[in-house]
Amino acid sequence: MAKRYDVIVVGAGPAGLMAAKTAAEDGLKVLLIERKKDLTEINRLCGQFTNVSMINTGGKLKYGYTKPIRLEVSTYGTRIHFEEFGISLDYEGPWRPYLNYIYFSPSGNPVYREKGRFFGFFTEKESLLGGLLKLGEKAGVEIMPETVAVSAENIQEGVKVRVRCKSGEESLEARRVIAADGTRSAIVESVGLNEGRQQLTKRRISLVGYVVEGVETEYRLNSWVAFTIPSLNPHTSFIMSMLSDDRNEISAYAVGERSAEENLRAFMKVSSFSSWFRRVQLVRKVAVGGAATWTPIMEPVAGNVLAIGDAACLIEVTNPGAIACGYMGAKATMKEMQGENGYSDYIAWWQKSFDTNDPDYLKGAGRGFAINAVCTDEEVDYLYRLVGGQIGVPGVLVAENLEQVKNERLELYQKLEKAGLGRDLSGMKLDLAKVLEEKGGQGSPE
Ligand SMILES: Cc1cc2nc3c(=O)[nH]c(=O)nc-3n(C[C@H](O)[C@H](O)[C@H](O)COP(=O)(O)OP(=O)(O)OC[C@H]3O[C@@H](n4cnc5c(N)ncnc54)[C@H](O)[C@@H]3O)c2cc1C
């Protein structure tokens, strides 16, 4: 006879931990299944950035969870508020304010997306998860670590979940399941929610990050820094973010035949920035490999299974977005169990609370990458010098200054126009899916 719960939550990331805690606090009998041994350990890359404001994105380019978050630092401690729900979470880890968001061209010309304004903060993800776990345990969540959920099947009056743990395979049952097992969700696949989803990249996206100490630049303590260097990466930027203890994380994607790590090492030698990294000590290496990018599941419900967080999204919901999904997912599940339409509430909320669920998102997002994809290093230097006095996203600022580019560099203007880098996104020919699919080199996006 399978064990039976009110709710089984699969995956103990921010979405699953929040869902389990919330459901248990509401009086439900909750089981949380997680494949890791230590639930709070993070071995993969994560910028650990949270935006408190709608960061300066211009046009339609927002990112992730679009509802406001507030960080409260007081004599009594630090709390993160989720304004739309009127709830707060205590946070006991380190934090730091982000004051600048800067893009650098290959020769070091800066474009500020944010300058001298508190637009977000670093929080340590392990502390964030640790806080949620403590609350879940206090509320009575039963936890099964080192257990892989293999599949879920809707049955009469509930769901059967097959799991694999050290002692072998077994079946567990619940009235409802919340799938919070991340981008490559086994639960989503097994209940058929991937059907009709478009896979945006055939190749596997691989990223590596170095956690380092000893970066020598004034930007190391208060800035999110992106480096646009098409000769090394024609798809995306290199990123440097802040961590605690005077540490930074620098990250790179794999490109063509070059591994992410080879690419990262090549970046650290680029002359304009090599002095920043000449004395760095590597603390640890973190990686993300093989993640595919799918279009979002607009109605993430199959029978008695609700998919939340990264399990249902395009790219990522972000950490605060995942926590919000966990809260809403638990409340929706509770309502369903009381005979009300909780899932339709969730679907309506899900569709409007994440810009990545906007059908036009991919078109707009492509604009952010057009400069990498079609320009040479020298052209990026020119464009960043041109718009460097203004505040905003380089792709948007360049689009707004295309007339000047046309007057000064006709060939470059024609290239950018051909890629669709105009004010009007309806003419955008370069979408994110296409950029991600492009192979290495300076190829045209056409
Ligand atoms: C490179 C990178 C950088 C990022 N940077 C930021 C950032 O700066 N700021 C930000 O807010 N967000 C960032 N994110 C996004 C953020 O990490 C995710 O959106 C968030 O973690 C999603 O939470 P989740 O709970 O839905 O999924 P996850 O955090 O992926 O959690 C899923 C959990 O399920 C477990 N699991 C998976 N499969 C199974 C299974 N079959 N059985 C049992 N357990 C399973 C996993 O071990 C994991 O613990 C970044 C993501 C990446 C990849």
Side-chain angles (χ1 to χ4, degrees), residues 10-16 33-36 44-50 125 147-149 180-183 186 207 224 288 308-311 316-320 322:
V10 180
I33 297 172
E34 167 58 48
R35 70 176 165 204
K36 287 189 294 188
R44 73 157 164 84
L45 194 66
C46 184
Q48 302 173 93
F49 163 77
T50 297
K125 190 160 178 182
T147 304
V148 175
D181 48 339
T183 36
L207 259 159
W224 182 277
V288 181
I308 64 168
D310 276 9
E316 61 189 13
V317 290
T318 70
N319 295 317

Side-chain angles (χ1 to χ4, degrees), residues 114-129:
E114 290 288 350
K115 190 171 187 180
R117 184 176 85 99
F118 176 39
F119 65 93
F121 52 92
F122 154 80
T123 44
E124 191 178 69
K125 190 160 178 182
E126 293 183 356
S127 301
L128 201 61
L129 297 186

Side-chain angles (χ1 to χ4, degrees), residues 226-269:
F227 306 84
T228 310
I229 307 177
S231 60
L232 290 180
N233 190 338
H235 310 303
T236 54
S237 300
F238 299 89
I239 302 288
M240 183 177 87
S241 58
M242 300 186 297
L243 302 172
S244 55
D245 301 329
D246 203 7
R247 289 178 180 173
N248 293 86
E249 185 173 88
I250 31 178
S251 59
Y253 284 82
V255 176
E257 297 305 306
R258 243 177 306 131
S259 73
E261 192 161 6
E262 284 167 337
N263 218 15
L264 185 54
R265 285 175 176 278
F267 159 66
M268 288 164 76
K269 292 193 180 117

Side-chain angles (χ1 to χ4, degrees), residues 75-105:
T75 325
Y76 305 106
T78 307
R79 293 171 78 75
I80 302 172
H81 294 276
F82 289 77
E83 302 273 330
E84 70 166 323
F85 308 127
I87 58 162
S88 311
L89 292 173
D90 286 331
Y91 170 73
E92 291 178 359
W95 71 276
R96 270 197 184 146
Y98 271 107
L99 300 177
N100 303 302
Y101 192 145
I102 317 168
Y103 293 77
F104 279 106
S105 75

Side-chain angles (χ1 to χ4, degrees), residues 191-402:
V191 296
L193 280 171
N194 279 337
E195 279 161 30
R197 256 179 127 179
Q198 192 194 340
Q199 195 173 343
L200 295 178
T201 51
K202 305 278 179 297
R203 71 196 167 96
R204 293 151 79 86
I205 297 170
S206 133
L207 259 159
V208 77
Y210 281 178
V211 173
V212 294
E213 278 175 0
V215 174
E216 292 175 282
T217 165
E218 64 192 287
Y219 304 113
R220 77 186 196 288
L221 292 178
N222 56 18
S223 305
W224 182 277
V225 190
F227 306 84
T228 310
I229 307 177
S231 60
L232 290 180
N233 190 338
H235 310 303
T236 54
S237 300
F238 299 89
I239 302 288
M240 183 177 87
S241 58
M242 300 186 297
L243 302 172
S244 55
D245 301 329
D246 203 7
R247 289 178 180 173
N248 293 86
E249 185 173 88
I250 31 178
S251 59
Y253 284 82
V255 176
E257 297 305 306
R258 243 177 306 131
S259 73
E261 192 161 6
E262 284 167 337
N263 218 15
L264 185 54
R265 285 175 176 278
F267 159 66
M268 288 164 76
K269 292 193 180 117
V270 169
S271 58
S272 337
F273 310 106
S274 59
S275 62
W276 295 21
F277 305 116
R278 73 190 148 186
R279 290 201 188 89
V280 292
Q281 298 286 326
L282 180 65
V283 178
R284 68 186 178 120
K285 209 170 19 170
V286 279
V288 181
T293 305
W294 299 75
T295 48
I297 308 171
M298 297 310 285
E299 297 192 359
V301 176
N304 295 314
V305 179
L306 172 67
I308 64 168
D310 276 9
C313 80
L314 167 76
I315 310 175
E316 61 189 13
V317 290
T318 70
N319 295 317
I323 292 172
C325 287
Y327 181 79
M328 274 303 283
K331 293 292 178 191
T333 300
M334 180 75 172
K335 257 180 129 177
E336 284 286 329
M337 290 168 70
Q338 291 167 338
E340 295 172 54
N341 291 328
Y343 287 162
S344 51
D345 289 356
Y346 184 89
I347 290 168
W349 172 83
W350 166 244
Q351 292 181 356
K352 69 174 176 15
S353 301
F354 294 84
D355 58 332
T356 37
N357 287 337
D358 178 341
D360 280 341
Y361 175 80
L362 281 174
K363 275 196 154 193
R367 181 157 66 177
F369 296 96
I371 290 179
N372 298 53
V374 301
C375 293
T376 63
D377 285 6
E378 185 279 323
E379 287 165 343
V380 177
D381 280 331
Y382 159 75
L383 291 172
Y384 279 25
R385 208 168 38 243
L386 183 77
V387 300
Q390 301 161 50
I391 307 279
V393 181
V396 175
L397 293 176
V398 168
E400 287 170 355
N401 288 274
L402 274 181

